[in-house]
Amino acid sequence: GRFFNPMEQSTSAKVAVLGPEVKRELFGDEDPLGKEFNIENKTFTVIGILDAEGFGSDDRIVMPYTTIEDVMGIKQLSGISAKVRDDVDLDE
């Protein structure tokens, strides 16, 4: 799978990347890539699966923030997570 791209973010696309626990709950052992699931009567397409990390973070659904605002109607975010590429020097 993959993460969402700039076009999907700018268009509030109904795409999602699932944590491994969510993937297991929704799809079991089935490959979910390209499949759909519903949240509050809205249909989203699975485009990726996150690696298992533990620490309670495996039960996430990641979407473009524009989708969260425009499609889900959530205007106030409680947090943002970011991942830095492996080749980036964090001290810089």
Side-chain angles (χ1 to χ4, degrees):
R2 63 180 178 82
F3 218 68
F4 43 87
N5 60 40
M7 175 69 88
E8 290 163 332
Q9 184 163 318
S10 68
T11 61
S12 303
K14 292 196 258 181
V15 294
V17 179
L18 305 181
E21 287 297 321
V22 176
K23 178 258 179 203
R24 197 170 2 268
E25 287 180 30
L26 293 177
F27 298 99
D29 292 331
E30 186 179 348
D31 180 5
L33 295 180
K35 297 209 166 64
E36 296 178 336
F37 69 99
N38 293 311
I39 299 175
E40 296 182 3
N41 296 318
K42 296 169 181 71
T43 303
F44 296 86
T45 301
V46 178
I47 60 170
I49 304 299
L50 297 169
D51 290 334
E53 295 179 2
F55 311 110
S57 62
D58 293 346
D59 60 354
R60 301 188 243 195
I61 299 174
V62 181
M63 300 176 189
Y65 77 92
T66 52
T67 303
I68 294 169
E69 290 179 338
D70 299 340
V71 176
M72 300 303 294
I74 300 170
K75 300 296 182 187
Q76 184 175 356
L77 302 178
S78 62
I80 295 176
S81 297
K83 181 175 180 178
V84 179
R85 292 188 328 251
D86 292 335
D87 63 338
V88 172
D89 182 357
L90 287 176
D91 292 332
E92 272 186 30

